[in-house]
Amino acid sequence: MYRTAYRPSIRSLSTLLIGVLVFLLIPVSAFGAAQWVPNTPYLKGDIVTYQAVNYECIQPHTSLTGWEPPAVQALWKVSTQPSDTIAPSVPASLQSPAHTSNSVSLTWQASTDNVAVTGYNVYNGSSVVGTTTNLNYQVNGLASDTLYTFKVAAFDAAGNVSAPSANLDVRTDAAPPDAIAPTAPTNVRSTSITANTIALAWNASTDNVGVTQYEIVVNGQVASTSAATAWTATGLTANTVYTIVVRALDAAGNRSADSTSLSVATLSTNPPLTTAKVLVGYWHNFDNGSTNIRLRDVSSNYDVINVSFAEPVGDYATMAFTPYNSTKEQFKADILELQGKGKKVNISLGGANGTVELTTAAAKQSFITTMNNIINEYGFNGIDIDLEGSSLSLNGGDTDFRNPTTPKIVNLISAIQTILTAQGSNFMLTMAPETAYVQGGITGYGGPWGAYLPVIYAFKDRMNFIHVQHYNTGAMTALDGRSYSQGTADFQVAMAEMLLQGFPIAGNANNKFPALREDQVAIGLPSTPNAASGGFTAAADIDKAVKYLTKGIGYGGTYQLMKPGGYTNFRGVMTWSINWDKKSNLSFSNPVRATLDGLK
């Protein structure tokens, strides 16, 4: 095999030039042969033309750039054969001995050529529909009762093509009448349901000729047709039952019998969460070294997924959110997939780095507009308030949690109320404050201490649940006057009961923050020691705390419940975070899910 171009010697070039001069004396046109091209297989005896000179192949090979005929005398020699430039004669007597509703048979008389005829091109109109070496050809796939124009041209080995034969007009036969209807479609089923769509599929029908399409009938009316065995109904009303049948049709217009009817109810736009004991997890919209996980891949252990976070851009009020590890469309599909499994996907505000301060009416309106845009674009089920740092703090003189005066607290309450009104009664509201902002109000009220209490109080009837962060905190004073340290069963029970019982503000028994409903209170914990700087609690201690809170099953701890029998409707557990839990092979959610399920 040749790997480099042949480099002719000076003597070889002289010989070549003499050959060219001899060739030029031959009265033969070089244009009857095909042009030489690289990357083409050539056989011995093949004739090509290159730079107006004909060459004959002297050994088989596949051409390469650099192996042009004059450069590789081991492969090519100047041809002394005369070129064939004479086209075959025109085929005569084109006829159609037979035709059907979808085919035409053609015959013709042979052409002649100075060398030899090698084949015939068959034309339907101006398009070549086939090539043959025979004197007959059948054109298939034609429409019935339609006039077609055919012609035939002959060609030889040199590529010379004759003029076409005379045109032959042939009309295909009319199709035979088809009175047989297709079979009815079977196994009509829904493959996906949302609040306003139902995706359908069914098994194909059969027909003596062929099924051309299906009619989809929704509530007695033909809604659409489909050539495929699947279709999606759109623009439907939420929480509504639709009755669907499918029929098959053939080309003759025969309809099958109706399929078995299928009744399907669309989902509510945002059905209320019915799970008695919830496991809530925060999903990172960033990579912090835990685990990069697609939203759709969140463990089924979780009932509520808080997407973290919507954050302000350019100021402290204009909110934005963009998925970090998928496109927007993929992320929306992930949300729909989780919602289809009965999960709630909420958008969480702020976090440790997202400072939100609505100090003016303009800032409040910007917050409302941008948050509604985010919620509507992605279809979130609710909003989670996770404001930290300076986002919430009480101004001097603001001493009444029932009637706050600090602008950024007043404006936040007003903004959340507006968003809840716009999103409807089933739109979720949850909160995840730090302990200082809630239970810290028992020892003092001002600055950050107790700063969440006006917000909690404003939504005490509307809020779904609150899960205070029982981590990254110092020791906290409980209802019994004792101080408890994070990371223990006692801490979880003591901090939770403060919200279940209510507590005096700054120690004033006459100014008590009221108790929340049992189903509004959960506890928040880190899923692994790496997830927080402090407060990690072993699964066994979480189990003790939850069972004591819900059933009064003691574990010998220091803190004693004020309601010895426990709080049956206590809501559950939250964790930061789903990603850290995934990194630890679900070492948090597996045992906690088992604990919660065991309370049912």
Side-chain angles (χ1 to χ4, degrees):
M1 180 180 290
Y2 293 90
R3 297 183 179 276
T4 58
Y6 178 84
R7 300 181 180 275
S9 64
I10 295 175
R11 180 178 179 180
S12 298
L13 289 173
S14 300
T15 302
L16 177 62
L17 290 172
I18 293 170
V20 170
L21 290 172
V22 170
F23 177 77
L24 291 176
L25 296 175
I26 301 172
V28 176
S29 169
F31 296 99
Q35 287 286 336
W36 177 91
V37 289
N39 304 311
T40 301
Y42 288 107
L43 300 177
K44 182 177 181 181
D46 285 349
I47 305 296
V48 299
T49 183
Y50 183 79
Q51 296 181 348
V53 178
N54 279 10
Y55 293 88
E56 179 182 348
C57 179
I58 59 178
Q59 61 176 303
H61 68 282
T62 297
S63 60
L64 296 174
T65 301
W67 292 10
E68 291 79 6
V72 191
Q73 293 184 24
L75 300 178
W76 297 97
K77 68 179 182 178
V78 175
S79 175
T80 58
Q81 296 181 15
S83 298
D84 178 9
T85 60
I86 301 174
S89 65
V90 177
S93 301
L94 178 61
Q95 301 178 51
S96 175
H99 45 79
T100 69
S101 62
N102 58 11
S103 68
V104 170
S105 295
L106 301 171
T107 63
W108 56 91
Q109 291 183 357
S111 296
T112 59
D113 187 65
N114 64 314
V115 178
V117 174
T118 55
Y120 298 89
N121 291 328
V122 181
Y123 293 81
N124 181 357
S126 60
S127 300
V128 175
V129 293
T131 298
T132 180
T133 59
N134 300 319
L135 299 178
N136 56 75
Y137 188 82
Q138 181 169 294
V139 184
N140 297 311
L142 304 176
S144 62
D145 195 22
T146 302
L147 185 65
Y148 291 95
T149 299
F150 300 101
K151 56 189 175 184
V152 179
F155 58 86
D156 61 19
N160 301 303
V161 181
S162 74
S165 68
N167 289 341
L168 175 66
D169 292 336
V170 183
R171 179 175 292 277
T172 52
D173 298 340
D178 175 12
I180 301 174
T183 61
T186 58
N187 193 26
V188 178
R189 59 201 181 273
S190 61
T191 57
S192 175
I193 305 171
T194 70
N196 52 22
T197 67
I198 299 173
L200 300 168
W202 54 89
N203 294 354
S205 298
T206 59
D207 186 64
N208 63 313
V209 178
V211 174
T212 56
Q213 62 182 351
Y214 296 88
E215 279 183 346
I216 299 92
V217 182
V218 179
N219 290 349
Q221 301 293 321
V222 176
S224 185
T225 59
S226 172
T229 56
W231 179 76
T232 298
T234 60
L236 306 180
T237 303
N239 198 28
T240 302
V241 176
Y242 291 87
T243 300
I244 300 164
V245 297
V246 182
R247 306 167 183 149
L249 285 79
D250 62 19
N254 298 306
R255 280 180 173 77
S256 74
D258 290 350
S259 68
T260 301
S261 66
L262 174 71
S263 292
V264 186
T266 51
L267 302 179
S268 169
T269 51
N270 192 357
L273 184 67
T274 57
T275 308
K277 297 292 182 284
V278 297
L279 181 55
V280 182
Y282 283 79
W283 174 87
H284 303 178
N285 190 47
F286 49 82
D287 184 1
N288 68 346
S290 53
T291 295
N292 182 348
I293 177 175
R294 276 283 296 273
L295 186 67
R296 67 171 57 232
D297 296 326
V298 169
S299 167
S300 60
N301 287 335
Y302 293 95
D303 304 297
V304 180
I305 298 96
N306 288 334
V307 173
S308 312
F309 296 98
E311 298 177 294
V313 289
D315 55 23
Y316 295 122
T318 303
M319 307 300 288
F321 174 80
T322 302
Y324 90 108
N325 65 351
S326 66
T327 66
K328 286 188 175 184
E329 294 309 312
Q330 289 171 335
F331 194 77
K332 292 173 188 177
D334 287 0
I335 291 176
L336 285 174
E337 181 168 328
L338 290 174
Q339 290 170 337
K341 296 175 181 177
K343 310 299 183 182
K344 296 297 181 182
V345 184
N346 298 338
I347 181 66
S348 187
L349 305 179
N353 299 324
T355 302
V356 177
E357 296 187 15
L358 310 184
T359 55
T360 66
K364 179 182 76 171
Q365 187 55 53
S366 179
F367 176 85
I368 292 169
T369 299
T370 52
M371 279 309 304
N372 271 326
N373 289 343
I374 293 170
I375 292 164
N376 293 336
E377 179 175 7
Y378 291 95
F380 287 113
N381 295 111
I383 191 169
D384 174 69
I385 305 175
D386 183 7
L387 299 180
E388 302 177 19
S390 65
S391 294
L392 288 182
S393 62
L394 296 161
N395 288 351
D398 189 349
T399 59
D400 184 359
F401 66 84
R402 297 175 182 83
N403 300 288
T405 58
T406 303
K408 59 185 173 183
I409 292 177
V410 173
N411 287 332
L412 176 67
I413 292 170
S414 176
I416 297 298
Q417 286 173 332
T418 301
I419 291 171
L420 294 177
T421 298
Q423 296 299 329
S425 60
N426 288 332
F427 190 73
M428 293 185 71
L429 173 64
T430 62
M431 301 184 193
E434 296 174 287
T435 53
Y437 292 76
V438 183
Q439 291 94 334
I442 196 172
T443 57
Y445 189 75
W449 297 96
Y452 245 92
L453 295 178
V455 182
I456 299 170
Y457 182 79
F459 299 103
K460 64 182 179 64
D461 297 322
R462 176 63 175 79
M463 180 178 65
N464 293 81
F465 42 80
I466 184 171
H467 27 63
V468 176
Q469 301 175 34
H470 289 187
Y471 50 92
N472 294 342
T473 179
M476 299 295 294
T477 301
L479 292 174
D480 62 2
R482 296 183 179 184
S483 181
Y484 293 90
S485 297
Q486 62 181 339
T488 63
D490 277 343
F491 189 84
Q492 318 314 330
V493 175
M495 293 300 101
E497 194 170 42
M498 288 182 68
L499 296 179
L500 292 164
Q501 286 287 328
F503 57 90
I505 300 298
N508 181 357
N510 295 318
N511 185 23
K512 186 177 180 181
F513 186 79
L516 298 176
R517 299 190 315 268
E518 291 182 14
D519 67 304
Q520 289 180 305
V521 180
I523 57 176
L525 295 166
S527 56
T528 70
N530 290 330
S533 60
F536 175 75
T537 305
D541 287 331
I542 298 173
D543 183 74
K544 292 175 184 178
V546 170
K547 288 179 178 176
Y548 191 30
L549 278 167
T550 56
K551 295 187 174 183
I553 301 174
Y555 54 86
T558 300
Y559 185 82
Q560 299 298 303
L561 280 175
M562 298 181 69
K563 184 181 179 182
Y567 302 86
T568 304
N569 295 319
F570 171 77
R571 202 56 190 274
V573 179
M574 170 274 280
T575 190
W576 179 268
S577 65
I578 289 169
N579 302 65
W580 284 110
D581 181 41
K582 176 70 172 179
K583 188 175 180 67
S584 69
N585 295 318
L586 308 183
S587 63
F588 179 91
S589 65
N590 279 344
V592 173
R593 180 76 267 168
T595 293
L596 295 176
D597 289 346
L599 299 174
K600 296 178 181 178

